[in-house]
Amino acid sequence: MTIQTALISVSDKSGIVEFARELANRGVSLLSTGGTARLLREAGLAVTEVADHTGSPEILDGRVKTLHPRIHGGLLARRDDPAHMQTLKEQNIPAIDLLVVNLYPFLKTIARPDCVLADAIENIDIGGPSMLRSAAKNHGSPQGGVTVVIDPADYPRVLADMDGPAHQPSYALRLELATKAFAHTAAYDGAIAAYLSSLASREPAPQSVPERETWPRVLTIQMQREQALRYGENPHQDAAFYHDLQVGDGMLAGYHQIQGKELSYNNIADADAAWECVRSFPTTTCVIVKHANPCGVALGDTPLQAYQQAFKTDPTSAFGGIIAFNEAVDEATAQAVGKQFLEVLIAPAYTDAALTVLAAKKNVRVLQVKPGQAQNPFDVKRVGGGWLVQHPDSRVAHEADFKVVTRTAPTAAQMQDLSFAWNVARFVKSNAIVFCGQRMTLGVGAGQMSRIDSARIASIKAEKAGLSLQGSAVASDAFFPFRDGLDVVAEAGATCVIQPGGSIRDGEVIAAADERGIAMVFTGTRHFRH
């Protein structure tokens, strides 16, 4: 079965004139609608309008044009079913062998700052998804079926198969393209449902509804596979990396790899932890991450200075780590970074001289990530048989929200250290204790089952790195349940502490701080990270 008739109706018109011309050169009759038909006709191609094909004019401002038996009958009739083909003959319905459709740009429309509901509604495609589903359902058996194309990148593949021995797209290609079409319509419907759900959550609840639901009853997530990975967290686990194309600039998934080996599962996970931490700071910052925890964070007047200070926190853990900067890496910084063993380097830009230096480190994965303010709409954690879904922990600390609860108040310099420590603690696995001073981390305790153990580990790490904790600031991601944790950080040399508060023993902890002459600030916000 060769392709004799193609129906073309596309929103993305890139490459469509060339593809249609190649189809016509192979004897394929062209059906089309609206702007696509006009474009093809202006290119000198013979095109039959769908309205002429169906005998029914477009109505309702174009809302109804392809929803017709002469369209869907031609798409859905099984080529290997004599009764189906006899019905087409009796009803004078030509078979449609190739459908080339992509949908109204709903996502681009709702991404516009000036988009209103009426604009979004008018960009919900009805006829397009209906045709895609009909064609994809009838992609057929190995003997023949409908070919459905949604992506201009697939045009050459269809033509190549038409020029092959069978003179038609192979069953393997038709099956792949049908799968792609169903994934496309599922993502499209999911985006519409998510948009309407977001509107519903902002509307006042009807009186009959006691509380407005802020989460959709059915959550649809569509991701595009970017890479099949060598393995997952461990070599015996298969893995892949998927990209949420609806999220804008600023997120790691939009990275451009400049050089280096293929990223692994753990590389991507750790790189995300480093990038999210570094981009949360407004001034020049370096973050070094190992096993998803910051092991060194520092501000600097230059990227080089920030790196040198961050590296001092924990040189042992920095070995084989991920290094991220929130501004361009220059030659001097690249030379310094290149002296240590690292897996991944991340920055929004690199000077040409820096890239020349890094080129000598062929195994180092160098990533460039566009700066931006995009955030994930929600975080997901997989549990047995389900998902836990939450909004991301993106609350930024403001000194105006801090409450001094001790007799001694922090100095201006201490408040700067506390704010820095508090922001770092937001990215450290719980239980988290972070010692800071002079715009850098001094000791980090992460992921322990008890907060006091995290405090002890942070102190030990500082001692091992040769860093003094005298006069340091300490952040705790959650409240101190007992005074013993505060006693440990005080004995290590801390003179000010920032924590959420909220324990039934807050009074005991505050009294301990007053006893030791320590300034303590409550934030009222917890930053657990499991």
Side-chain angles (χ1 to χ4, degrees):
M1 187 194 83
T2 60
I3 292 177
Q4 300 180 43
T5 302
L7 172 52
I8 304 174
S9 181
V10 292
S11 176
D12 177 2
K13 294 179 173 55
S14 57
I16 194 59
V17 170
E18 295 77 7
F19 183 47
R21 182 173 286 116
E22 291 297 331
L23 292 174
N25 290 342
R26 290 163 175 77
V28 177
S29 299
L30 305 179
L31 295 174
S32 191
T33 63
T36 305
R38 185 164 53 253
L39 178 66
L40 298 182
R41 194 175 293 114
E42 289 171 353
L45 296 169
V47 181
T48 300
E49 286 268 5
V50 162
D52 296 330
H53 176 76
T54 62
S56 299
E58 294 183 8
I59 61 173
L60 305 180
D61 299 320
R63 284 190 172 199
V64 179
K65 52 192 172 187
T66 58
L67 299 172
H68 194 282
R70 282 179 67 81
I71 298 297
H72 289 275
L75 291 170
L76 281 166
R78 290 182 54 181
R79 280 34 174 187
D80 59 353
D81 187 322
H84 279 208
M85 300 312 292
Q86 180 63 27
T87 298
L88 291 191
K89 183 176 180 181
E90 293 171 355
Q91 298 295 325
N92 190 28
I93 298 176
I96 299 173
D97 311 305
L98 171 64
L99 179 73
V100 186
V101 166
N102 46 61
L103 307 177
Y104 294 168
F106 180 79
L107 284 175
K108 288 183 179 179
T109 300
I110 63 174
R112 295 199 322 252
D114 61 344
C115 177
V116 296
L117 178 59
D119 297 329
I121 294 298
E122 286 308 307
N123 278 277
I124 296 176
D125 203 327
I126 302 300
S130 299
M131 290 189 292
L132 288 177
R133 290 172 61 81
S134 292
K137 175 178 179 176
N138 200 30
H139 70 274
S141 65
Q143 286 71 42
V146 179
T147 302
V148 55
V149 184
I150 63 165
D151 185 351
D154 292 319
Y155 296 163
R157 303 172 66 197
V158 172
L159 294 173
D161 271 20
M162 290 176 67
D163 292 339
H167 301 294
Q168 65 168 328
S170 66
Y171 174 69
L173 180 58
R174 280 184 278 122
L175 175 60
E176 177 188 339
L177 296 179
T179 303
K180 196 171 182 177
F182 277 120
H184 185 55
T185 57
Y188 194 78
D189 287 341
I192 294 167
Y195 173 74
L196 295 178
S197 293
S198 71
L199 293 182
S201 67
R202 296 198 295 268
E203 289 293 317
Q207 292 184 354
S208 59
V209 180
E211 184 177 350
R212 169 67 68 183
E213 294 181 359
T214 59
W215 291 95
R217 290 182 179 270
V218 177
L219 181 63
T220 301
I221 299 175
Q222 291 288 328
M223 303 282 184
Q224 176 175 295
R225 191 182 72 191
E226 292 289 339
Q227 181 184 350
L229 303 171
R230 286 175 295 158
Y231 54 82
E233 283 187 289
N234 301 291
H236 61 275
Q237 295 171 268
D238 289 333
F241 173 51
Y242 287 80
H243 186 184
D244 184 348
L245 299 181
Q246 297 184 37
V247 177
D249 290 342
M251 308 295 285
L252 180 85
Y255 73 83
H256 166 61
Q257 185 165 354
I258 296 173
Q259 72 167 56
K261 297 186 295 184
E262 182 180 284
L263 289 168
S264 71
Y265 181 100
N266 293 329
N267 288 156
I268 294 172
D270 287 347
D272 183 61
W275 179 248
E276 284 301 303
C277 183
V278 81
R279 80 185 187 115
S280 72
F281 289 94
T283 57
T284 306
T285 308
C286 175
V287 173
I288 305 175
V289 160
K290 191 69 170 289
H291 295 300
N293 275 303
C295 60
V297 181
L299 310 181
D301 296 330
T302 65
L304 174 60
Q305 184 189 54
Y307 165 70
Q308 290 170 334
Q309 296 297 93
F311 184 78
K312 288 179 182 177
T313 304
D314 191 350
T316 301
S317 296
F319 181 85
I322 312 290
I323 302 177
F325 294 89
N326 60 359
E327 66 176 62
V329 170
D330 56 18
E331 182 179 12
T333 307
Q335 288 174 339
V337 167
K339 293 176 182 178
Q340 76 161 93
F341 171 59
L342 71 154
E343 293 281 357
V344 182
L345 179 62
I346 315 166
Y350 300 85
T351 66
D352 290 341
L355 291 177
T356 299
V357 171
L358 294 169
K361 300 282 186 178
K362 298 186 183 299
N363 289 334
V364 175
R365 302 158 177 90
V366 177
L367 307 185
Q368 183 174 356
V369 181
K370 287 183 179 180
Q373 301 304 313
Q375 296 283 344
N376 285 328
F378 45 76
D379 287 337
V380 174
K381 186 184 292 290
R382 197 74 165 95
V383 297
W387 284 359
L388 287 169
V389 184
Q390 65 177 351
H391 293 300
D393 182 7
S394 56
R395 179 171 293 183
V396 178
H398 297 287
E399 289 185 20
D401 300 325
F402 296 167
K403 179 183 178 182
V404 178
V405 294
T406 49
R407 290 194 294 267
T408 301
T411 64
Q414 286 178 322
M415 190 62 84
Q416 288 182 348
D417 285 341
L418 289 172
S419 294
F420 174 75
W422 183 243
N423 195 52
V424 173
R426 186 156 63 96
F427 298 96
V428 177
K429 298 289 186 181
S430 299
N431 288 311
I433 294 291
V434 180
F435 285 87
C436 295
Q438 301 299 310
R439 305 195 302 169
M440 64 177 284
T441 49
L442 301 172
V444 180
Q448 297 305 302
M449 287 70 78
S450 74
R451 191 160 301 279
I452 192 169
D453 284 343
S454 288
R456 288 168 176 153
I457 289 172
S459 301
I460 292 169
K461 281 186 168 290
E463 182 181 2
K464 187 174 181 180
L467 299 175
S468 171
L469 297 181
Q470 294 303 313
S472 61
V474 169
S476 173
D477 65 336
F479 61 66
F480 287 101
F482 303 96
R483 68 167 287 166
D484 53 2
L486 184 116
D487 288 332
V488 168
V489 300
E491 288 164 7
T495 54
C496 55
V497 172
I498 188 167
Q499 58 135 320
S503 168
I504 60 172
R505 294 184 178 84
D506 275 349
E508 174 186 324
V509 177
I510 293 170
D514 283 334
E515 176 186 316
R516 292 178 171 274
I518 286 177
M520 188 157 64
V521 170
F522 280 6
T523 66
T525 300
R526 188 181 72 187
H527 286 301
F528 271 162
R529 181 172 289 258
H530 290 100

